[in-house]
PDB file of all heavy atoms in Angstrom:
ATOM      1  N   ASN R  55      47.263  58.257 123.322  1.00 88.00           N
ATOM      2  CA  ASN R  55      45.819  58.358 123.092  1.00 88.00           C
ATOM      3  C   ASN R  55      45.069  57.323 123.920  1.00 88.00           C
ATOM      4  O   ASN R  55      44.037  57.629 124.515  1.00 88.00           O
ATOM      5  CB  ASN R  55      45.487  58.211 121.606  1.00 88.00           C
ATOM      6  CG  ASN R  55      45.873  59.444 120.819  1.00 88.00           C
ATOM      7  OD1 ASN R  55      45.537  60.559 121.198  1.00 88.00           O
ATOM      8  ND2 ASN R  55      46.592  59.247 119.719  1.00 88.00           N
ATOM      9  N   GLY R  56      45.575  56.093 123.954  1.00 92.00           N
ATOM     10  CA  GLY R  56      44.957  55.060 124.773  1.00 92.00           C
ATOM     11  C   GLY R  56      45.035  55.406 126.251  1.00 92.00           C
ATOM     12  O   GLY R  56      44.072  55.202 127.008  1.00 92.00           O
ATOM     13  N   ALA R  57      46.182  55.935 126.668  1.00 89.00           N
ATOM     14  CA  ALA R  57      46.349  56.336 128.068  1.00 89.00           C
ATOM     15  C   ALA R  57      45.350  57.428 128.422  1.00 89.00           C
ATOM     16  O   ALA R  57      44.672  57.357 129.453  1.00 89.00           O
ATOM     17  CB  ALA R  57      47.774  56.834 128.303  1.00 89.00           C
ATOM     18  N   ARG R  58      45.242  58.400 127.553  1.00 88.00           N
ATOM     19  CA  ARG R  58      44.318  59.504 127.815  1.00 88.00           C
ATOM     20  C   ARG R  58      42.880  58.981 127.927  1.00 88.00           C
ATOM     21  O   ARG R  58      42.118  59.416 128.791  1.00 88.00           O
ATOM     22  CB  ARG R  58      44.440  60.562 126.730  1.00 88.00           C
ATOM     23  CG  ARG R  58      43.665  61.821 127.041  1.00 88.00           C
ATOM     24  CD  ARG R  58      44.090  62.959 126.111  1.00 88.00           C
ATOM     25  NE  ARG R  58      43.303  64.121 126.389  1.00 88.00           N
ATOM     26  CZ  ARG R  58      42.385  64.615 125.565  1.00 88.00           C
ATOM     27  NH1 ARG R  58      42.170  64.071 124.396  1.00 88.00           N
ATOM     28  NH2 ARG R  58      41.700  65.683 125.893  1.00 88.00           N
ATOM     29  N   ALA R  59      42.499  58.045 127.067  1.00 93.00           N
ATOM     30  CA  ALA R  59      41.153  57.470 127.134  1.00 93.00           C
ATOM     31  C   ALA R  59      40.932  56.762 128.474  1.00 93.00           C
ATOM     32  O   ALA R  59      39.860  56.910 129.095  1.00 93.00           O
ATOM     33  CB  ALA R  59      40.930  56.506 125.968  1.00 93.00           C
ATOM     34  N   ASP R  60      41.928  55.997 128.933  1.00 95.00           N
ATOM     35  CA  ASP R  60      41.802  55.330 130.233  1.00 95.00           C
ATOM     36  C   ASP R  60      41.713  56.343 131.367  1.00 95.00           C
ATOM     37  O   ASP R  60      40.910  56.194 132.292  1.00 95.00           O
ATOM     38  CB  ASP R  60      42.975  54.384 130.472  1.00 95.00           C
ATOM     39  CG  ASP R  60      42.830  53.060 129.748  1.00 95.00           C
ATOM     40  OD1 ASP R  60      41.686  52.676 129.412  1.00 95.00           O
ATOM     41  OD2 ASP R  60      43.860  52.403 129.522  1.00 95.00           O
ATOM     42  N   PHE R  61      42.532  57.375 131.311  1.00 91.00           N
ATOM     43  CA  PHE R  61      42.510  58.386 132.363  1.00 91.00           C
ATOM     44  C   PHE R  61      41.180  59.141 132.365  1.00 91.00           C
ATOM     45  O   PHE R  61      40.646  59.464 133.421  1.00 91.00           O
ATOM     46  CB  PHE R  61      43.672  59.358 132.205  1.00 91.00           C
ATOM     47  CG  PHE R  61      45.031  58.726 132.356  1.00 91.00           C
ATOM     48  CD1 PHE R  61      46.107  59.198 131.613  1.00 91.00           C
ATOM     49  CD2 PHE R  61      45.256  57.672 133.226  1.00 91.00           C
ATOM     50  CE1 PHE R  61      47.362  58.635 131.741  1.00 91.00           C
ATOM     51  CE2 PHE R  61      46.517  57.095 133.367  1.00 91.00           C
ATOM     52  CZ  PHE R  61      47.570  57.593 132.621  1.00 91.00           C
ATOM     53  N   GLU R  62      40.645  59.424 131.186  1.00 91.00           N
ATOM     54  CA  GLU R  62      39.343  60.101 131.099  1.00 91.00           C
ATOM     55  C   GLU R  62      38.251  59.226 131.716  1.00 91.00           C
ATOM     56  O   GLU R  62      37.352  59.727 132.396  1.00 91.00           O
ATOM     57  CB  GLU R  62      39.003  60.442 129.652  1.00 91.00           C
ATOM     58  CG  GLU R  62      39.888  61.514 129.036  1.00 91.00           C
ATOM     59  CD  GLU R  62      39.601  62.924 129.523  1.00 91.00           C
ATOM     60  OE1 GLU R  62      38.581  63.154 130.206  1.00 91.00           O
ATOM     61  OE2 GLU R  62      40.418  63.820 129.222  1.00 91.00           O
ATOM     62  N   LYS R  63      38.310  57.919 131.480  1.00 96.00           N
ATOM     63  CA  LYS R  63      37.345  56.999 132.078  1.00 96.00           C
ATOM     64  C   LYS R  63      37.486  57.000 133.600  1.00 96.00           C
ATOM     65  O   LYS R  63      36.487  57.056 134.332  1.00 96.00           O
ATOM     66  CB  LYS R  63      37.540  55.581 131.516  1.00 96.00           C
ATOM     67  CG  LYS R  63      36.640  54.539 132.117  1.00 96.00           C
ATOM     68  CD  LYS R  63      35.186  54.744 131.758  1.00 96.00           C
ATOM     69  CE  LYS R  63      34.356  53.584 132.302  1.00 96.00           C
ATOM     70  NZ  LYS R  63      32.951  53.742 132.024  1.00 96.00           N
ATOM     71  N   ALA R  64      38.720  56.960 134.089  1.00 94.00           N
ATOM     72  CA  ALA R  64      38.955  57.004 135.536  1.00 94.00           C
ATOM     73  C   ALA R  64      38.416  58.310 136.113  1.00 94.00           C
ATOM     74  O   ALA R  64      37.792  58.317 137.180  1.00 94.00           O
ATOM     75  CB  ALA R  64      40.444  56.854 135.841  1.00 94.00           C
ATOM     76  N   LEU R  65      38.617  59.400 135.411  1.00 92.00           N
ATOM     77  CA  LEU R  65      38.136  60.698 135.878  1.00 92.00           C
ATOM     78  C   LEU R  65      36.612  60.748 135.904  1.00 92.00           C
ATOM     79  O   LEU R  65      36.021  61.305 136.835  1.00 92.00           O
ATOM     80  CB  LEU R  65      38.680  61.810 134.977  1.00 92.00           C
ATOM     81  CG  LEU R  65      38.332  63.227 135.402  1.00 92.00           C
ATOM     82  CD1 LEU R  65      38.941  63.540 136.758  1.00 92.00           C
ATOM     83  CD2 LEU R  65      38.831  64.207 134.352  1.00 92.00           C
ATOM     84  N   ALA R  66      35.969  60.159 134.907  1.00 95.00           N
ATOM     85  CA  ALA R  66      34.506  60.122 134.889  1.00 95.00           C
ATOM     86  C   ALA R  66      33.973  59.352 136.102  1.00 95.00           C
ATOM     87  O   ALA R  66      32.914  59.694 136.644  1.00 95.00           O
ATOM     88  CB  ALA R  66      34.008  59.483 133.593  1.00 95.00           C
ATOM     89  N   LEU R  67      34.721  58.346 136.525  1.00 96.00           N
ATOM     90  CA  LEU R  67      34.314  57.551 137.679  1.00 96.00           C
ATOM     91  C   LEU R  67      34.637  58.233 139.010  1.00 96.00           C
ATOM     92  O   LEU R  67      33.971  57.993 140.008  1.00 96.00           O
ATOM     93  CB  LEU R  67      34.981  56.170 137.630  1.00 96.00           C
ATOM     94  CG  LEU R  67      34.520  55.280 136.481  1.00 96.00           C
ATOM     95  CD1 LEU R  67      35.439  54.070 136.343  1.00 96.00           C
ATOM     96  CD2 LEU R  67      33.074  54.841 136.688  1.00 96.00           C
ATOM     97  N   ASP R  68      35.676  59.063 139.029  1.00 92.00           N
ATOM     98  CA  ASP R  68      36.076  59.755 140.257  1.00 92.00           C
ATOM     99  C   ASP R  68      36.652  61.124 139.911  1.00 92.00           C
ATOM    100  O   ASP R  68      37.855  61.277 139.760  1.00 92.00           O
ATOM    101  CB  ASP R  68      37.108  58.928 141.020  1.00 92.00           C
ATOM    102  CG  ASP R  68      37.492  59.571 142.346  1.00 92.00           C
ATOM    103  OD1 ASP R  68      36.930  60.635 142.706  1.00 92.00           O
ATOM    104  OD2 ASP R  68      38.371  59.019 143.032  1.00 92.00           O
ATOM    105  N   PRO R  69      35.798  62.144 139.778  1.00 89.00           N
ATOM    106  CA  PRO R  69      36.270  63.469 139.372  1.00 89.00           C
ATOM    107  C   PRO R  69      36.993  64.249 140.470  1.00 89.00           C
ATOM    108  O   PRO R  69      37.402  65.384 140.243  1.00 89.00           O
ATOM    109  CB  PRO R  69      34.985  64.183 138.951  1.00 89.00           C
ATOM    110  CG  PRO R  69      33.905  63.505 139.716  1.00 89.00           C
ATOM    111  CD  PRO R  69      34.349  62.081 139.892  1.00 89.00           C
ATOM    112  N   TYR R  70      37.181  63.651 141.646  1.00 87.00           N
ATOM    113  CA  TYR R  70      37.797  64.375 142.758  1.00 87.00           C
ATOM    114  C   TYR R  70      39.193  63.881 143.111  1.00 87.00           C
ATOM    115  O   TYR R  70      39.710  64.211 144.169  1.00 87.00           O
ATOM    116  CB  TYR R  70      36.880  64.303 143.985  1.00 87.00           C
ATOM    117  CG  TYR R  70      35.515  64.851 143.679  1.00 87.00           C
ATOM    118  CD1 TYR R  70      34.429  64.010 143.518  1.00 87.00           C
ATOM    119  CD2 TYR R  70      35.322  66.218 143.477  1.00 87.00           C
ATOM    120  CE1 TYR R  70      33.176  64.513 143.191  1.00 87.00           C
ATOM    121  CE2 TYR R  70      34.082  66.732 143.143  1.00 87.00           C
ATOM    122  CZ  TYR R  70      33.015  65.873 143.004  1.00 87.00           C
ATOM    123  OH  TYR R  70      31.787  66.367 142.675  1.00 87.00           O
ATOM    124  N   THR R  71      39.806  63.085 142.250  1.00 84.00           N
ATOM    125  CA  THR R  71      41.150  62.582 142.512  1.00 84.00           C
ATOM    126  C   THR R  71      42.154  63.369 141.676  1.00 84.00           C
ATOM    127  O   THR R  71      42.170  63.263 140.454  1.00 84.00           O
ATOM    128  CB  THR R  71      41.242  61.070 142.194  1.00 84.00           C
ATOM    129  OG1 THR R  71      40.286  60.385 143.009  1.00 84.00           O
ATOM    130  CG2 THR R  71      42.624  60.538 142.489  1.00 84.00           C
ATOM    131  N   SER R  72      42.978  64.143 142.343  1.00 84.00           N
ATOM    132  CA  SER R  72      43.890  65.049 141.637  1.00 84.00           C
ATOM    133  C   SER R  72      44.901  64.312 140.775  1.00 84.00           C
ATOM    134  O   SER R  72      45.270  64.796 139.711  1.00 84.00           O
ATOM    135  CB  SER R  72      44.615  65.951 142.626  1.00 84.00           C
ATOM    136  OG  SER R  72      45.462  65.208 143.476  1.00 84.00           O
ATOM    137  N   ARG R  73      45.349  63.133 141.196  1.00 85.00           N
ATOM    138  CA  ARG R  73      46.371  62.433 140.413  1.00 85.00           C
ATOM    139  C   ARG R  73      45.857  62.060 139.024  1.00 85.00           C
ATOM    140  O   ARG R  73      46.644  61.952 138.085  1.00 85.00           O
ATOM    141  CB  ARG R  73      46.899  61.203 141.135  1.00 85.00           C
ATOM    142  CG  ARG R  73      45.920  60.058 141.219  1.00 85.00           C
ATOM    143  CD  ARG R  73      46.552  58.866 141.898  1.00 85.00           C
ATOM    144  NE  ARG R  73      45.541  57.827 142.028  1.00 85.00           N
ATOM    145  CZ  ARG R  73      45.810  56.570 142.202  1.00 85.00           C
ATOM    146  NH1 ARG R  73      47.061  56.183 142.270  1.00 85.00           N
ATOM    147  NH2 ARG R  73      44.852  55.688 142.313  1.00 85.00           N
ATOM    148  N   ILE R  74      44.543  61.853 138.891  1.00 88.00           N
ATOM    149  CA  ILE R  74      43.993  61.539 137.570  1.00 88.00           C
ATOM    150  C   ILE R  74      44.116  62.759 136.664  1.00 88.00           C
ATOM    151  O   ILE R  74      44.512  62.644 135.504  1.00 88.00           O
ATOM    152  CB  ILE R  74      42.536  61.041 137.677  1.00 88.00           C
ATOM    153  CG1 ILE R  74      42.483  59.727 138.476  1.00 88.00           C
ATOM    154  CG2 ILE R  74      41.945  60.833 136.281  1.00 88.00           C
ATOM    155  CD1 ILE R  74      41.075  59.246 138.783  1.00 88.00           C
ATOM    156  N   TYR R  75      43.824  63.943 137.202  1.00 89.00           N
ATOM    157  CA  TYR R  75      44.022  65.160 136.402  1.00 89.00           C
ATOM    158  C   TYR R  75      45.489  65.296 136.002  1.00 89.00           C
ATOM    159  O   TYR R  75      45.811  65.691 134.889  1.00 89.00           O
ATOM    160  CB  TYR R  75      43.590  66.403 137.181  1.00 89.00           C
ATOM    161  CG  TYR R  75      42.097  66.559 137.306  1.00 89.00           C
ATOM    162  CD1 TYR R  75      41.449  66.330 138.515  1.00 89.00           C
ATOM    163  CD2 TYR R  75      41.339  66.951 136.210  1.00 89.00           C
ATOM    164  CE1 TYR R  75      40.079  66.480 138.635  1.00 89.00           C
ATOM    165  CE2 TYR R  75      39.965  67.102 136.320  1.00 89.00           C
ATOM    166  CZ  TYR R  75      39.338  66.871 137.537  1.00 89.00           C
ATOM    167  OH  TYR R  75      37.989  67.022 137.646  1.00 89.00           O
ATOM    168  N   GLY R  76      46.383  64.964 136.929  1.00 87.00           N
ATOM    169  CA  GLY R  76      47.817  65.075 136.631  1.00 87.00           C
ATOM    170  C   GLY R  76      48.256  64.189 135.483  1.00 87.00           C
ATOM    171  O   GLY R  76      48.969  64.629 134.585  1.00 87.00           O
ATOM    172  N   VAL R  77      47.796  62.937 135.480  1.00 85.00           N
ATOM    173  CA  VAL R  77      48.229  62.033 134.412  1.00 85.00           C
ATOM    174  C   VAL R  77      47.541  62.361 133.085  1.00 85.00           C
ATOM    175  O   VAL R  77      48.125  62.162 132.015  1.00 85.00           O
ATOM    176  CB  VAL R  77      48.063  60.539 134.789  1.00 85.00           C
ATOM    177  CG1 VAL R  77      49.030  60.166 135.900  1.00 85.00           C
ATOM    178  CG2 VAL R  77      46.639  60.195 135.166  1.00 85.00           C
ATOM    179  N   ILE R  78      46.313  62.884 133.147  1.00 87.00           N
ATOM    180  CA  ILE R  78      45.670  63.342 131.901  1.00 87.00           C
ATOM    181  C   ILE R  78      46.475  64.508 131.333  1.00 87.00           C
ATOM    182  O   ILE R  78      46.754  64.560 130.131  1.00 87.00           O
ATOM    183  CB  ILE R  78      44.198  63.746 132.131  1.00 87.00           C
ATOM    184  CG1 ILE R  78      43.348  62.517 132.417  1.00 87.00           C
ATOM    185  CG2 ILE R  78      43.651  64.488 130.905  1.00 87.00           C
ATOM    186  CD1 ILE R  78      41.923  62.844 132.851  1.00 87.00           C
ATOM    187  N   GLY R  79      46.862  65.428 132.197  1.00 87.00           N
ATOM    188  CA  GLY R  79      47.687  66.555 131.750  1.00 87.00           C
ATOM    189  C   GLY R  79      49.014  66.095 131.171  1.00 87.00           C
ATOM    190  O   GLY R  79      49.480  66.627 130.156  1.00 87.00           O
ATOM    191  N   ASP R  80      49.627  65.084 131.796  1.00 83.00           N
ATOM    192  CA  ASP R  80      50.880  64.535 131.262  1.00 83.00           C
ATOM    193  C   ASP R  80      50.660  63.965 129.855  1.00 83.00           C
ATOM    194  O   ASP R  80      51.456  64.205 128.941  1.00 83.00           O
ATOM    195  CB  ASP R  80      51.416  63.424 132.168  1.00 83.00           C
ATOM    196  CG  ASP R  80      51.938  63.930 133.493  1.00 83.00           C
ATOM    197  OD1 ASP R  80      52.167  65.145 133.637  1.00 83.00           O
ATOM    198  OD2 ASP R  80      52.112  63.086 134.401  1.00 83.00           O
TER     199      ASP R  80
END
Side-chain angles (χ1 to χ4, degrees):
N55 287 310
R58 188 166 178 249
D60 281 338
F61 296 146
E62 292 286 349
K63 177 67 175 178
L65 184 63
L67 293 168
D68 183 2
Y70 303 106
T71 301
S72 65
R73 71 178 176 159
I74 297 173
Y75 286 107
V77 292
I78 290 172
D80 290 345

